[in-house]
């Protein structure tokens, strides 16, 4: 039978097929010779055609049924092959297909409606890493409040701070000022001294992100103050709205390899998963409300009409540390660039701080508390000191809260350093062994 | 693609607009309501070009508002899968770039950028060929092909590609 041999699926020309179809339709269903298989084929094509004409939104509907059939087959194969690495407005960024379920990590801070799958994030991080290393850069994630600046609600300002309202800098040229009144947000913001120099110098060594627990509008407003030319952060401003966990910050939304990211933040608890990347900052409290919030009853910097030192403040100190880390990462280490881990570098440099010190604690931990689990003990060890529970001649420092304890008296007698716990904390913030005489232990009770 | 079509809408008008200028009020309200909106079926309403016919008003019980069925001609813009479109790049990052063609936001993933173009970081992030002859950065004009569309109530999203013949940069702002 000639019809069977010229089966439509084998026919390459659609015109041939249309002619064939017309002919077979004209001859009607009375044509008994038609193969059952072929009949089925025709029915399927007919159904397909009806669907096509109903689909008004589709414009590129082909006139030829065979090719449209082939297209659907091809399309379904393509669908199966595409891994949907991410989505934009619920469409796959690779094949353009509409995706039903929302999966992956949202990157709303880059563009609304953008989501990426973990595999794609890993791929991007890897390519990006090479790019960054070629430019001798690492990633730096910066917190806003208490790290780079301090903000307060206008209604929370004390009477002693009223004078500040007359001293605010113009919002027209923010690149010079440091104290800004943001009336529309009912806020006043003070940038930390040295922040401009800090950002400028850090931008040469790092690709910088802002990551704040504030909301999006606030984060963008602060980014405008810190970076009016948009040269440091561009679209890398992450707010709490973009995070994947509540009350937590995570590097999952940061497109940088974890082994190349440093974090600057004043809150250790926000980064439970990434403590190794974290450089803890001493909090910057300029406004009185910020002091009260953290339970300090002393006068704030604003009330004392003073400020952190520009050349000697926390940011200047940290910038030196960052330079040291950057230098060590790129110039001192000699193994393969891709295998280097900034967390190890951070650890090594931190360990230099109190190298050679042997510390015994006195009246710091509760008696039953496992000593080597206490945060001060671990802090001391991270700083490179050795900790011990028993006194011996190799001990160099006794850290105590009370001058009257046996260990404290031993330290005085043996001419060892007797210091307050603040000495450890200061060394932790400043990355340098502090002069012991600045942290005396209260001796009154021993007399 | 642009279309010039006739649409219909029931307009609710407050009684204070009744009077000599009723027609003008109705038209200006229609423009305010319709221009710049999206519908999934027709796309983005660019402009109203004329009023075809205003039907008989119907007074709503209780409120005094009157509903007029208005037929109007308008220009709509709707992107289609497979369509070639010219767009302006708004943002370039390591994931690809975003471009705009009027109200339409298009994302071109770096998978769909030719393999010889590589991402460069810097003040002006861009995709550049190895010989530096072609560069895609913010404000570049590109010709791209739409491979997926989604029309929301207020926005149109598209996925595009420039990995095909005759697609890519058509005007480089840094060169001009």
């Amino acid at each position: 039978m000639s019809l069977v041999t010229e089966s439509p699926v084998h026919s390459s020309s659609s015109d041939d097929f249309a002619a064939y179809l017309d002919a077979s339709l004209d001859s009607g269903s009375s044509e008994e010779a038609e193969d059952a298989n072929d009949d089925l084929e025709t029915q399927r094509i007919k159904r397909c055609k009806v669907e096509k004409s109903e689909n008004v939104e589709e414009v590129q509907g082909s006139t030829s049924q065979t090719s449209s059939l082939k297209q659907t087959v091809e399309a379904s194969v393509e669908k199966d092959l595409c891994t949907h690495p991410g989505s934009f407005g619920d469409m796959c960024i690779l094949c353009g297909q509409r995706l039903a379920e929302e999966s992956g990590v949202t990157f709303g801070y880059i563009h609304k409606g953008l989501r990426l799958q973990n595999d794609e994030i890993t791929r991007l991080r890897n390519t990006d890493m090479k790019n960054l290393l070629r430019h001798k850069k690492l990633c730096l994630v910066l917190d806003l409040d208490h790290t780079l600046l301090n903000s307060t609600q206008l209604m929370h300002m004390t009477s002693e701070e009223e004078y500040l309202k007359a001293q605010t800098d113009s919002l027209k040229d923010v690149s010079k000022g440091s104290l800004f009144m943001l009336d529309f947000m009912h806020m006043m913001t003070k940038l930390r001294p040295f922040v401009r120099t800090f950002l400028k110098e850090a931008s040469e060594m790092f690709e910088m992100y802002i990551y704040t627990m504030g909301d999006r509008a606030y984060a963008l407003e602060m980014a405008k103050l810190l970076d009016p030319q948009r040269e440091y952060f561009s679209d890398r401003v992450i707010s709490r709205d973009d995070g994947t966990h509540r009350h937590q910050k995570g590097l999952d939304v940061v497109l940088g390899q974890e082994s190349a990211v440093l974090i600057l933040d004043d809150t250790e608890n926000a980064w439970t998963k990434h403590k190794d990347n974290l450089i803890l900052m001493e909090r910057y409290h300029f406004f009185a409300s910020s002091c009260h919030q953290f339970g300090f009853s002393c006068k704030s910097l604003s009330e004392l009409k003073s400020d952190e030192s520009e050349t000697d403040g926390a940011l200047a100190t940290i910038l030196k540390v960052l330079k040291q880390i950057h230098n060590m990462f790129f110039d001192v280490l000699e193994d393969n660039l891709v295998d280097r881990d900034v967390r190890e570098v951070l650890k090594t440099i931190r360990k230099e701080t109190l190298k050679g010190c042997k510390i015994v604690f006195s009246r710091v931990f509760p008696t039953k508390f496992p000593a080597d689990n206490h945060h001060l003990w671990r802090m001391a060890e991270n700083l490179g000191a050795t900790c011990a529970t028993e006194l011996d001649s190799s001990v160099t420092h006794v850290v105590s809260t009370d001058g009257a304890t046996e260990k404290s008296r031993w330290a005085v007698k043996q001419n060892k350093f007797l210091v307050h716990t603040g000495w450890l904390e200061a060394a932790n913030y400043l990355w340098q062994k502090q002069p012991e005489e600045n942290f005396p232990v209260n001796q009154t009770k021993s007399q | 693609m642009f279309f010039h079509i006739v649409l219909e809408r029931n307009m609710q008008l407050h009684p204070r607009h009744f009077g000599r200028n009723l027609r003008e009020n109705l038209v200006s309200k229609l423009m305010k309501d319709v221009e710049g909106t999206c519908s999934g079926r027709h796309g983005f309403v660019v402009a109203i070009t004329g009023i075809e016919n205003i039907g008989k008003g119907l007074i709503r019980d209780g409120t005094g508002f009157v509903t007029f069925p208005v037929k109007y001609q308008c220009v709509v813009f709707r992107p289609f899968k497979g369509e070639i479109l010219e767009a302006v790049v708004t943002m370039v990052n390591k994931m690809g770039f975003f471009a705009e063609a009027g109200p339409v936001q298009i994302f071109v993933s770096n998978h769909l950028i030719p393999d010889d173009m590589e991402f460069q970081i810097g003040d002006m992030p861009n995709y550049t060929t190895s010989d530096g002859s072609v560069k895609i950065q913010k404000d570049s004009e590109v010709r791209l092909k739409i491979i997926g569309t989604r029309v929301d109530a207020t926005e149109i999203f598209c996925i595009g590609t420039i990995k095909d013949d005759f697609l890519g940069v058509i005007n480089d702002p840094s060169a001009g």
Side-chain angles (χ1 to χ4, degrees), chain A residues 56-60 85 87-98 107 109-114 116 120 123-124 127-128 131-132 134-135 137 139 207 209 230-231 234-236 255-256, chain B residues 1 3 40-41 78 80-83 90-96 98 100 105-112 118-123 125 147-152 154-160:
Chain A
V56 279
E57 301 220 354
E58 196 67 65
V59 280
Q60 47 165 46
S87 65
F88 172 60
D90 294 337
M91 288 175 296
C92 170
I93 58 169
L94 198 54
C95 64
Q97 192 198 333
R98 196 68 88 75
F107 282 84
Y109 70 92
I110 292 174
H111 200 286
K112 195 183 154 209
L114 187 69
L116 293 175
E120 176 73 356
R123 193 188 71 86
L124 282 171
T127 49
D128 189 52
N131 223 331
L132 277 177
R134 208 162 55 213
H135 288 81
K137 278 189 174 185
C139 289
E207 182 178 69
Y209 288 78
R230 284 179 65 92
E231 53 193 341
S234 86
D235 55 353
R236 296 183 295 271
L255 285 174
Chain B
M1 216 177 285
F3 297 93
R41 197 173 150 71
R78 188 191 187 300
F80 289 96
K81 215 166 143 176
E83 186 180 347
T90 54
M91 186 199 294
V92 179
N93 57 38
K94 45 193 128 177
M95 272 157 277
F98 290 90
E100 270 177 15
Q105 299 183 46
I106 306 149
F107 176 59
V108 179
S109 144
N110 60 9
H111 295 276
L112 300 175
E118 217 175 293
F119 179 65
Q120 318 280 333
I121 45 173
D123 309 345
I147 57 166
T149 64
R150 201 192 74 172
V151 183
D152 266 3
T154 52
E155 282 162 310
I156 307 180
F157 295 108
C158 287
I159 304 288

Side-chain angles (χ1 to χ4, degrees), chain A residues 312-348:
Chain A
D312 226 11
L315 283 174
T317 316
I318 293 299
L319 184 64
K320 277 185 214 137
V321 177
L322 290 177
K323 279 182 178 162
Q324 206 181 341
I325 294 170
H326 185 267
N327 178 43
M328 192 161 189
F329 189 92
F330 286 102
D331 300 333
V332 179
L333 289 184
E334 280 170 354
D335 53 342
N336 193 356
L337 203 58
V338 186
D339 298 332
R340 293 180 197 175
D341 193 332
V342 77
R343 289 170 288 197
E344 295 303 319
V345 178
L346 188 63
K347 226 178 255 173
T348 318

Side-chain angles (χ1 to χ4, degrees), chain A residues 283-296:
Chain A
R283 284 207 173 92
Y284 178 53
H285 295 295
F286 183 76
F287 295 108
S289 67
S290 154
C291 288
H292 296 318
Q293 195 188 333
F294 285 88
F296 299 119

Side-chain angles (χ1 to χ4, degrees), chain A residues 135-203:
Chain A
H135 288 81
K136 274 204 166 187
K137 278 189 174 185
L138 297 169
C139 289
L140 180 65
V141 178
L142 295 167
D143 175 51
L144 287 179
D145 289 299
H146 303 117
T147 302
L148 297 183
L149 46 82
N150 192 197
S151 295
T152 184
Q153 297 271 343
L154 289 178
M155 53 187 270
H156 291 152
M157 287 178 74
T158 60
S159 53
E160 282 170 89
E161 290 176 313
E162 288 296 317
Y163 76 96
L164 289 172
K165 288 186 179 166
Q167 293 184 359
T168 53
D169 294 299
S170 146
L171 282 171
K172 285 199 183 97
D173 181 21
V174 294
S175 61
K176 291 202 181 69
S178 75
L179 182 69
F180 301 102
M181 171 101 90
L182 301 161
D183 277 319
F184 52 98
M185 296 182 92
H186 311 290
M187 287 187 122
M188 188 176 258
T189 296
K190 171 77 178 67
L191 305 185
R192 200 168 193 163
F194 197 69
V195 74
R196 303 254 181 234
T197 327
F198 176 85
L199 291 177
K200 188 162 178 291
E201 297 202 11
S203 70

